[in-house]
Amino acid sequence: MSFQITVQPSGHQFSCDEDETVLAAAIRAGVGLPYGCKNGACSSCKGKVLEGSVSHKAHQRRALSEEEEAAGQSLFCCAVPHSDLVLEVREVAGSSDFPIKKMPTRVTTLEKLAPDVIVMTLQLPANETLQYRAGQYVEFMLRDGKRRSYSIANAPESGGPLTLHIRHMPGGLFTDQVFTTMKERDILRFEGPLGTFFVRDDSDKPMILLASGTGFAPIKAIVEHERAKDTKREMVLYWGGRRPQDLYMDTLCRQWADEIPNFKYVPVVSDALEDEHWSGRRGYVHSAVMEDVPDMSGYQVYACGAPIVVESAKRDFVQQCKLPEDEFYADAFTSQADLLKP
């Protein structure tokens, strides 16, 4: 059995099987519902069910509270329909412009830039190309149907191999392999491009780019893309880490600040040791943004990194700094450990 799904205000329609999530059906039909993690942790795909009923697979209550669910809110990545549905959600223009492909790829380089960060370079098959938007990600297809997601860290205009920034999660199914047994010329398989984290080109508002740790990867792609198209929009990048070594491409960011007229860079470190002689900003990265921009009513924010950073930034920017809620765009890097947290 399948159900008819109607999206308002666009009026787009698609069918959804009874055991399929609304988001999976939308992606299959090329309908641009917003989404990020696809596993019920980040709330990027949240919308309202105006008509019909759904049930939710396992998800994090911080992404959809019981009160929100009772009020008709839904996480479409976890929502399974029990009837025809009418949804209210703002679609993302351009999210389905490029085909989602499954393909093999060869590891060409593994470069360690920090004790727990490796930059992986991937070569696509000679007869294949991957069209994507700066900020999107790919999913590696692993054993037993498991998947792991990583943002593409170079802009589409680079025209070369794909680069990914991979942080070691001790005990992690994939990252343990990357940091121990994986070697150059190994073959992997991935699916992509995925996600709706990319710059909305219909705006000329200044952009606050907020990154924590390897959340810098899609932000790097966005900066390179905006530079390639000679954007006139102002960009300020706040990159946070616990220690100075976590800002593993700090030199590149400082180079951007020297070379790109409308770009500023603010590194922030929360737990620098005395012998590291850190002279820059200290504390939480999203707090630094609030100190510098107390009124965000005329801004867009693009945030990527640990869920706690993304969630804190959205809450505080909207509640305390007048940021319009629909001008906060995010990609929370949810690990398997994050998914096990209540």
Side-chain angles (χ1 to χ4, degrees), residues 193-254:
L194 299 166
T196 55
F197 182 67
F198 48 80
V199 171
R200 277 34 175 189
D201 289 327
D202 58 355
S203 174
D204 60 1
K205 290 182 177 183
M207 293 185 285
I208 294 170
L209 308 173
L210 174 65
S212 72
T214 51
F216 172 69
I219 298 295
K220 174 179 176 289
I222 285 172
V223 173
E224 291 176 348
H225 173 64
E226 293 298 306
R227 184 182 192 180
K229 69 178 191 179
D230 196 24
T231 185
K232 299 300 185 285
R233 296 175 67 177
E234 293 182 16
M235 297 181 287
V236 56
L237 165 60
Y238 289 81
W239 188 9
R242 292 184 61 252
R243 305 271 298 282
Q245 67 188 18
D246 294 330
L247 310 182
Y248 50 87
M249 286 189 168
D250 178 73
T251 300
L252 173 64
C253 297
R254 295 180 188 275

Side-chain angles (χ1 to χ4, degrees), residues 314-329:
K314 183 175 184 179
R315 181 194 63 228
D316 293 348
F317 292 177
V318 171
Q319 293 179 1
Q320 301 180 40
C321 300
K322 305 177 186 175
L323 177 74
E325 189 168 1
D326 60 0
E327 293 288 30
F328 185 91
Y329 305 97

Side-chain angles (χ1 to χ4, degrees), residues 48-250:
K48 191 166 188 177
V49 178
L50 298 178
E51 297 178 20
S53 64
V54 301
S55 60
H56 287 94
K57 297 181 178 180
H59 64 280
Q60 302 249 318
R61 273 301 174 193
R62 68 177 184 230
L64 181 71
S65 68
E66 292 180 357
E67 292 78 12
E68 288 175 318
E69 190 171 356
Q73 295 290 313
S74 175
L75 288 182
F76 298 133
C77 71
C78 302
V80 177
H82 299 297
S83 66
D84 292 345
L85 303 176
V86 177
L87 312 178
E88 183 179 63
V89 61
R90 188 178 62 164
E91 290 182 52
V92 181
S95 60
S96 58
D97 285 356
F98 302 134
I100 297 174
K101 299 180 176 181
K102 295 179 181 178
M103 66 176 74
T105 183
R106 186 184 299 276
V107 177
T108 54
T109 62
L110 295 165
E111 181 183 7
K112 185 177 282 191
L113 292 191
D116 62 347
V117 176
I118 277 179
V119 174
M120 175 188 290
T121 305
L122 300 174
Q123 184 66 53
L124 303 184
N127 59 341
E128 288 279 10
T129 59
L130 184 72
Q131 295 176 289
Y132 62 94
R133 295 186 179 277
Q136 290 189 295
Y137 66 89
V138 297
E139 280 187 346
F140 287 114
M141 297 180 285
L142 309 179
R143 299 184 302 274
D144 302 325
K146 293 183 172 63
R147 291 179 172 233
R148 294 294 183 269
S149 304
Y150 292 94
S151 294
I152 303 170
N154 53 308
E157 292 82 1
S158 65
L162 301 182
T163 59
L164 312 176
H165 297 177
I166 299 179
R167 178 171 171 247
H168 189 203
M169 304 293 289
L173 173 68
F174 184 67
T175 64
D176 272 358
Q177 177 188 353
V178 172
F179 277 76
T180 57
T181 60
M182 187 172 291
K183 54 191 181 301
E184 295 175 0
R185 300 190 63 78
D186 280 358
I187 301 295
L188 302 169
R189 285 187 60 81
F190 72 72
E191 182 176 29
L194 299 166
T196 55
F197 182 67
F198 48 80
V199 171
R200 277 34 175 189
D201 289 327
D202 58 355
S203 174
D204 60 1
K205 290 182 177 183
M207 293 185 285
I208 294 170
L209 308 173
L210 174 65
S212 72
T214 51
F216 172 69
I219 298 295
K220 174 179 176 289
I222 285 172
V223 173
E224 291 176 348
H225 173 64
E226 293 298 306
R227 184 182 192 180
K229 69 178 191 179
D230 196 24
T231 185
K232 299 300 185 285
R233 296 175 67 177
E234 293 182 16
M235 297 181 287
V236 56
L237 165 60
Y238 289 81
W239 188 9
R242 292 184 61 252
R243 305 271 298 282
Q245 67 188 18
D246 294 330
L247 310 182
Y248 50 87
M249 286 189 168
D250 178 73

